[in-house]
Amino acid sequence: MKRFVMRARLGGFLLLLLALISGPISASAAEKVTVFAAASLKDVLTSISEEWKKETGNEAVFSFAASSALAKQIAEGAPADLFISADLDWMDNVEKQGLVKEGTRLSLLANRIVLVAPADSKAELKVAPGFDLAGALGNEKLAMGNVDSVPAGKYGKAALQKLGVWESVSAKVAQAENVRAALLLVSRGEAPFGIVYETDAKVDPKVKILDRFPEDTHKPIIYPAAVLKEAKSPVAAVFLDLLKTEKSKAAFEAAGFTVLAK
């Protein structure tokens, strides 16, 4: 009997020691969530997810690209749990195919588009009806996302059309696969001007903002987010909820976004 009690006490001591070494015993193992997100969200979402991993052990795995490319991959069966688009059209496209989990879609963020130049540029241009962007470009290129599919490119083209400038510059546009690629052309000095999101311009010290495009020259720049119908991660909805917290709101606002989700 004494031997049994001693063994029981020893077993309890070992369990206590194990708990002290390893920390609290989790009710479940850490989970992963796969997020397909617009390229313009790379820095801020990476930062938010790193904090989430420190606090919970859960991990967000990202695929950042143009919203158009991501929507097409989702339609082709890519294993994503969440989709965050840089415009409403591509989320609509995914939703119309029955690929969004009902009741999860929300408008998460808003953004602005701006005209940028390399940081050391001496150029001064103000965005206004008929402004001489073509003259400022000369024989060089205007960096933009693809104007037929990349949201930033579509917004940029619409704005230039509204301002009466598109026809004079359309042949001078260097169309990139996503907004970050367009930004890089300006950052490297390969293009003297570019049209990108304000949030992208703020994270690259090698570019400067010359002016904002008036919001009435293009559709509102809304970033919708949703859990996908075929989501496998048990924390997909949890991560989406995380993006609506005050802590995440502060991170988005610091990056230059306007937070729409409540």
Side-chain angles (χ1 to χ4, degrees):
M1 185 65 180
K2 287 182 179 179
R3 185 176 297 176
F4 175 78
V5 171
M6 288 180 67
R7 285 178 178 174
R9 287 177 176 172
L10 180 60
F13 173 75
L14 290 174
L15 285 173
L16 177 61
L17 182 62
L18 180 61
L20 289 171
I21 294 172
S22 61
I25 298 173
S26 175
S28 61
E31 301 287 353
K32 287 187 178 182
V33 58
T34 301
V35 183
F36 278 25
S40 50
L41 292 166
K42 183 175 181 179
D43 299 277
V44 66
L45 283 185
T46 299
S47 176
I48 289 171
S49 69
E50 286 173 351
E51 286 299 312
W52 187 53
K53 185 175 182 179
K54 289 177 185 176
E55 293 172 4
T56 67
N58 296 326
E59 182 179 1
V61 179
F62 294 103
S63 178
F64 292 108
S67 300
S68 53
L70 296 172
K72 291 171 184 176
Q73 290 171 24
I74 291 167
E76 292 169 0
D81 300 305
L82 281 176
F83 178 38
I84 309 176
S85 173
D87 75 347
L88 298 171
D89 290 346
W90 284 111
M91 181 63 81
D92 289 345
N93 179 280
V94 170
E95 188 168 29
K96 286 174 182 176
Q97 295 181 70
L99 302 174
V100 168
K101 187 174 181 180
E102 190 175 346
T104 65
R105 178 173 172 171
L106 56 87
S107 292
L108 182 64
L109 305 166
N111 207 343
R112 298 285 301 269
I113 52 170
V114 295
L115 182 68
V116 295
D120 59 358
S121 171
K122 304 300 182 185
E124 294 183 9
L125 272 178
K126 292 297 178 183
V127 174
F131 75 108
D132 192 17
L133 180 57
L137 283 167
N139 295 321
E140 298 191 81
K141 295 292 185 179
L142 173 66
M144 296 175 65
N146 185 291
V147 299
D148 295 318
S149 59
V150 176
K154 291 163 60 181
Y155 295 128
K157 178 182 177 180
L160 292 175
Q161 287 176 324
K162 185 71 179 288
L163 294 165
V165 176
W166 175 250
E167 292 301 322
S168 65
V169 300
S170 60
K172 301 180 179 184
V173 174
Q175 299 188 52
E177 63 181 15
N178 60 60
V179 69
R180 284 298 175 92
L183 179 71
L184 194 59
L185 290 174
V186 181
S187 181
R188 288 176 173 173
E190 295 173 23
F193 303 103
I195 299 175
V196 299
Y197 293 123
E198 184 172 16
T199 52
D200 290 303
K202 286 184 174 182
V203 299
D204 191 336
K206 292 183 179 180
V207 305
K208 64 179 180 181
I209 296 174
L210 298 180
D211 203 5
R212 283 175 163 182
F213 283 85
E215 291 184 278
D216 63 1
T217 59
H218 55 78
K219 290 181 179 179
I221 301 175
I222 307 296
Y223 287 63
V227 176
L228 296 171
K229 192 173 182 180
E230 298 300 319
K232 299 292 189 292
S233 172
V235 293
V238 173
F239 188 76
L240 184 56
D241 285 341
L242 170 73
L243 301 182
K244 298 185 288 180
T245 62
E246 287 301 313
K247 193 171 183 179
S248 293
K249 180 180 178 181
F252 285 128
E253 290 178 343
F257 290 97
T258 299
V259 178
L260 302 176
K262 305 296 183 183

